[in-house]
Amino acid sequence: MLPWTGFELEPDGTVKNCIIAKDTIGDIHKTDIDSILHSKENQNIKSQMLNKQFPNSCSGCYFQEKDRATSFDSISSRLYYAKEIGTSVDNTLLDNENGFDLRHVDLRWNNKCNQACVYCGPNYSSKWAQELKVKQKVEKENVEKVKQYVFKNIKKLKNVYLAGGEPMLMNDNKEFLTLLLEHNPGVHLRVNTNLSSTKTGVFQLLCKFKNVHWTVSVESMGEEYEYIRHHGSWEDFSKNLKHIQTLDHKISFNMLYFILNYKSIFDCIDYFKSIGFHDNSFIIGPLYTPEYLNIRHLPSNIKQEVVDILEERIGKNTGFYLQNSLENCLKYLTQSNFHANIDTVRHSIQKLDKRRNLNSREIFPKLYREVLQ
């Protein structure tokens, strides 16, 4: 659906069909957004789909749907947007590669963020950029042109995804949400947030909309949470989570699975379920980069233990997104085309510890005992 109806804007100005697409279709600092959406790159993706081919750019969804091709229990973004947008467009729009009618935007205006998660980097986190002393060049006039394009089409939008960086910290979102509230209050809003900043004005605006889906980024609890999400506070997170639980909004947890939470992720899932969240609240996927955090670095004996845990949980056959997430993690973990190197994992974590003046050995004792030794 998205090549015909939407786009995702990256903090560096590149444009993709969606966040998990492998290929870009343009760059707003080189080409205007309307030309990008009607570009040869976007037309080629649509042509492949029309010819019943599978664009490599979209392989993430095809992987997620492999065993659930006709099930809406799949966590596939393709199926999500089919449900969200499919009924709002004329079917003839999808008849050829030339059509485009904006219905969805995924906006990451810049990299402003108050956390430096271990798996992130300067492109998506200003805290990372400060840590590495990297400056990201932003041509604000080109971002402004995208805003004007979106604002011009604001009444047509059916689905909006706000991410970053941290979307609660972005003034652009205050301007955008104010206009949406005035011209399109029924739009379905998704916000991908670390839920740490709720006093910036963006949160207050989101609370005024009826159809809000909070996609909360979290992978572990307590000290592990604060190590993984550097500069984050588990206490603040927990308080803000309880706050949004009082709203009549949907809440999901966007969780990445990697070597630092190879077992503790299951405790995190169980905790959230114990405070009232359903199996449909979890979207979990394996972390691909940076490679040193990849779950497939686990030694074979520990990997088998994790496989047993996953198979036991999958065997309960609960359905919904949680089961599909666990199935995908198991499928990824047991793939054989990976060169495991624990020395690289150990060295990279120690390097991170030194730069941040942290002690991962104290925070992850089981990891060191079972894996890093």
Short mmCIF file of all heavy atoms in Angstrom, two decimals, residues 80 84 103-105 157-161 180 184-191 209-214 250:
data_model
loop_
_atom_site.label_atom_id
_atom_site.label_comp_id
_atom_site.label_asym_id
_atom_site.label_seq_id
_atom_site.Cartn_x
_atom_site.Cartn_y
_atom_site.Cartn_z
N TYR A 80 -0.31 -4.27 8.37
CA TYR A 80 -0.81 -3.18 9.22
C TYR A 80 -1.34 -2.04 8.35
O TYR A 80 -2.46 -1.54 8.58
CB TYR A 80 0.31 -2.67 10.14
CG TYR A 80 -0.05 -1.42 10.89
CD1 TYR A 80 -0.77 -1.47 12.08
CD2 TYR A 80 0.29 -0.15 10.39
CE1 TYR A 80 -1.14 -0.32 12.76
CE2 TYR A 80 -0.06 1.01 11.07
CZ TYR A 80 -0.77 0.92 12.25
OH TYR A 80 -1.13 2.07 12.91
N GLU A 84 -4.99 -0.25 7.78
CA GLU A 84 -5.15 1.16 8.14
C GLU A 84 -5.59 2.04 6.97
O GLU A 84 -6.37 2.96 7.14
CB GLU A 84 -3.82 1.71 8.69
CG GLU A 84 -3.50 1.26 10.09
CD GLU A 84 -4.45 1.86 11.11
OE1 GLU A 84 -4.65 3.08 11.10
OE2 GLU A 84 -5.00 1.09 11.93
N ARG A 103 -1.90 9.35 1.95
CA ARG A 103 -2.78 8.97 3.05
C ARG A 103 -2.01 8.74 4.35
O ARG A 103 -2.60 8.73 5.42
CB ARG A 103 -3.54 7.67 2.69
CG ARG A 103 -4.59 7.83 1.60
CD ARG A 103 -5.77 8.65 2.11
NE ARG A 103 -6.88 8.68 1.17
CZ ARG A 103 -7.02 9.54 0.20
NH1 ARG A 103 -6.09 10.48 0.02
NH2 ARG A 103 -8.05 9.51 -0.61
N HIS A 104 -0.69 8.55 4.24
CA HIS A 104 0.11 8.20 5.42
C HIS A 104 1.45 8.94 5.40
O HIS A 104 2.08 9.08 4.35
CB HIS A 104 0.38 6.69 5.44
CG HIS A 104 1.50 6.31 6.36
ND1 HIS A 104 1.34 6.24 7.73
CD2 HIS A 104 2.80 5.99 6.11
CE1 HIS A 104 2.49 5.89 8.28
NE2 HIS A 104 3.39 5.74 7.34
N VAL A 105 1.88 9.39 6.56
CA VAL A 105 3.23 9.95 6.72
C VAL A 105 3.87 9.37 7.97
O VAL A 105 3.21 9.15 8.99
CB VAL A 105 3.23 11.49 6.79
CG1 VAL A 105 2.91 12.11 5.44
CG2 VAL A 105 2.28 12.00 7.87
N LEU A 157 -5.04 12.77 5.27
CA LEU A 157 -4.27 11.78 6.03
C LEU A 157 -5.19 10.86 6.83
O LEU A 157 -6.12 11.31 7.50
CB LEU A 157 -3.29 12.48 6.96
CG LEU A 157 -2.18 13.28 6.28
CD1 LEU A 157 -1.34 14.01 7.33
CD2 LEU A 157 -1.29 12.39 5.42
N LYS A 158 -4.91 9.57 6.75
CA LYS A 158 -5.64 8.57 7.53
C LYS A 158 -4.78 8.00 8.66
O LYS A 158 -5.31 7.55 9.67
CB LYS A 158 -6.08 7.42 6.62
CG LYS A 158 -7.09 7.82 5.55
CD LYS A 158 -8.38 8.30 6.18
CE LYS A 158 -9.40 8.69 5.12
NZ LYS A 158 -10.66 9.20 5.73
N ASN A 159 -3.47 8.01 8.45
CA ASN A 159 -2.57 7.43 9.43
C ASN A 159 -1.30 8.27 9.52
O ASN A 159 -0.72 8.62 8.50
CB ASN A 159 -2.23 5.99 9.04
CG ASN A 159 -1.41 5.28 10.10
OD1 ASN A 159 -0.20 5.45 10.18
ND2 ASN A 159 -2.06 4.45 10.90
N VAL A 160 -0.90 8.59 10.74
CA VAL A 160 0.31 9.38 10.97
C VAL A 160 1.18 8.64 11.98
O VAL A 160 0.68 8.17 13.02
CB VAL A 160 -0.04 10.78 11.52
CG1 VAL A 160 1.22 11.50 12.02
CG2 VAL A 160 -0.73 11.61 10.45
N TYR A 161 2.46 8.53 11.67
CA TYR A 161 3.42 7.90 12.57
C TYR A 161 4.48 8.93 12.92
O TYR A 161 5.12 9.50 12.03
CB TYR A 161 4.04 6.69 11.86
CG TYR A 161 4.84 5.74 12.74
CD1 TYR A 161 4.82 5.80 14.12
CD2 TYR A 161 5.63 4.75 12.14
CE1 TYR A 161 5.54 4.92 14.89
CE2 TYR A 161 6.36 3.86 12.91
CZ TYR A 161 6.31 3.94 14.29
OH TYR A 161 7.03 3.06 15.05
N LEU A 180 -3.42 19.28 12.82
CA LEU A 180 -4.22 18.06 12.72
C LEU A 180 -5.46 18.14 13.59
O LEU A 180 -6.55 17.74 13.19
CB LEU A 180 -3.38 16.85 13.14
CG LEU A 180 -2.56 16.12 12.08
CD1 LEU A 180 -1.72 15.02 12.72
CD2 LEU A 180 -3.45 15.53 10.99
N ASN A 184 -8.15 17.67 11.07
CA ASN A 184 -8.30 16.23 10.86
C ASN A 184 -8.21 15.49 12.21
O ASN A 184 -7.36 14.63 12.40
CB ASN A 184 -7.20 15.74 9.90
CG ASN A 184 -7.43 14.33 9.40
OD1 ASN A 184 -8.36 13.65 9.83
ND2 ASN A 184 -6.59 13.89 8.49
N PRO A 185 -9.09 15.82 13.16
CA PRO A 185 -8.98 15.26 14.51
C PRO A 185 -9.23 13.76 14.59
O PRO A 185 -8.85 13.12 15.57
CB PRO A 185 -10.03 16.04 15.31
CG PRO A 185 -11.03 16.48 14.28
CD PRO A 185 -10.22 16.75 13.04
N GLY A 186 -9.84 13.18 13.55
CA GLY A 186 -10.14 11.75 13.57
C GLY A 186 -9.01 10.88 13.04
O GLY A 186 -9.14 9.65 13.00
N VAL A 187 -7.90 11.49 12.63
CA VAL A 187 -6.78 10.73 12.08
C VAL A 187 -6.27 9.73 13.11
O VAL A 187 -6.35 9.96 14.32
CB VAL A 187 -5.65 11.69 11.64
CG1 VAL A 187 -5.01 12.35 12.85
CG2 VAL A 187 -4.62 10.98 10.79
N HIS A 188 -5.75 8.60 12.62
CA HIS A 188 -5.15 7.61 13.53
C HIS A 188 -3.68 7.97 13.71
O HIS A 188 -2.91 7.98 12.76
CB HIS A 188 -5.28 6.20 12.94
CG HIS A 188 -4.86 5.12 13.89
ND1 HIS A 188 -4.96 3.79 13.59
CD2 HIS A 188 -4.36 5.18 15.16
CE1 HIS A 188 -4.54 3.07 14.63
NE2 HIS A 188 -4.15 3.90 15.58
N LEU A 189 -3.29 8.24 14.96
CA LEU A 189 -1.94 8.65 15.29
C LEU A 189 -1.17 7.53 15.97
O LEU A 189 -1.67 6.91 16.92
CB LEU A 189 -1.96 9.85 16.23
CG LEU A 189 -2.23 11.22 15.63
CD1 LEU A 189 -2.70 12.18 16.72
CD2 LEU A 189 -0.98 11.77 14.97
N ARG A 190 0.02 7.26 15.48
CA ARG A 190 0.96 6.38 16.19
C ARG A 190 2.16 7.21 16.60
O ARG A 190 2.66 8.00 15.79
CB ARG A 190 1.44 5.22 15.30
CG ARG A 190 0.47 4.09 15.14
CD ARG A 190 1.02 3.05 14.18
NE ARG A 190 2.06 2.24 14.81
CZ ARG A 190 2.94 1.51 14.12
NH1 ARG A 190 2.92 1.53 12.79
NH2 ARG A 190 3.83 0.78 14.74
N VAL A 191 2.61 7.01 17.81
CA VAL A 191 3.80 7.74 18.26
C VAL A 191 4.76 6.73 18.87
O VAL A 191 4.40 5.99 19.78
CB VAL A 191 3.45 8.87 19.24
CG1 VAL A 191 2.64 8.37 20.42
CG2 VAL A 191 4.70 9.59 19.71
N PHE A 209 -6.40 13.83 21.13
CA PHE A 209 -6.91 13.02 20.03
C PHE A 209 -7.55 11.75 20.56
O PHE A 209 -7.16 11.22 21.61
CB PHE A 209 -5.77 12.65 19.07
CG PHE A 209 -5.26 13.79 18.23
CD1 PHE A 209 -4.28 14.65 18.74
CD2 PHE A 209 -5.73 14.02 16.96
CE1 PHE A 209 -3.79 15.70 17.98
CE2 PHE A 209 -5.27 15.06 16.18
CZ PHE A 209 -4.29 15.92 16.70
N LYS A 210 -8.51 11.24 19.82
CA LYS A 210 -9.21 10.02 20.23
C LYS A 210 -8.44 8.77 19.81
O LYS A 210 -8.34 7.81 20.58
CB LYS A 210 -10.61 10.00 19.62
CG LYS A 210 -11.43 8.78 20.01
CD LYS A 210 -12.81 8.81 19.36
CE LYS A 210 -13.60 7.55 19.74
NZ LYS A 210 -14.95 7.55 19.11
N ASN A 211 -7.92 8.77 18.59
CA ASN A 211 -7.30 7.56 18.03
C ASN A 211 -5.78 7.65 18.11
O ASN A 211 -5.12 8.03 17.15
CB ASN A 211 -7.74 7.37 16.57
CG ASN A 211 -9.24 7.22 16.44
OD1 ASN A 211 -9.86 6.47 17.19
ND2 ASN A 211 -9.84 7.94 15.51
N VAL A 212 -5.23 7.30 19.26
CA VAL A 212 -3.78 7.35 19.46
C VAL A 212 -3.27 5.96 19.83
O VAL A 212 -3.86 5.28 20.67
CB VAL A 212 -3.40 8.34 20.57
CG1 VAL A 212 -1.88 8.39 20.76
CG2 VAL A 212 -3.92 9.74 20.25
N HIS A 213 -2.21 5.58 19.18
CA HIS A 213 -1.55 4.30 19.46
C HIS A 213 -0.13 4.61 19.94
O HIS A 213 0.70 5.07 19.17
CB HIS A 213 -1.52 3.44 18.19
CG HIS A 213 -0.88 2.10 18.37
ND1 HIS A 213 -0.81 1.18 17.35
CD2 HIS A 213 -0.25 1.51 19.43
CE1 HIS A 213 -0.19 0.10 17.78
NE2 HIS A 213 0.16 0.28 19.04
N TRP A 214 0.12 4.39 21.22
CA TRP A 214 1.44 4.61 21.79
C TRP A 214 2.30 3.38 21.53
O TRP A 214 1.98 2.28 22.00
CB TRP A 214 1.34 4.86 23.29
CG TRP A 214 0.52 6.04 23.67
CD1 TRP A 214 -0.83 6.08 23.86
CD2 TRP A 214 1.00 7.38 23.88
NE1 TRP A 214 -1.23 7.36 24.18
CE2 TRP A 214 -0.12 8.18 24.21
CE3 TRP A 214 2.26 7.97 23.84
CZ2 TRP A 214 -0.02 9.53 24.49
CZ3 TRP A 214 2.36 9.33 24.13
CH2 TRP A 214 1.24 10.08 24.44
N LYS A 250 -4.59 3.05 22.76
CA LYS A 250 -3.91 1.77 22.59
C LYS A 250 -2.44 1.92 22.94
O LYS A 250 -1.81 2.93 22.62
CB LYS A 250 -4.06 1.28 21.14
CG LYS A 250 -3.43 -0.07 20.88
CD LYS A 250 -3.69 -0.53 19.45
CE LYS A 250 -3.03 -1.89 19.20
NZ LYS A 250 -3.28 -2.36 17.81
#
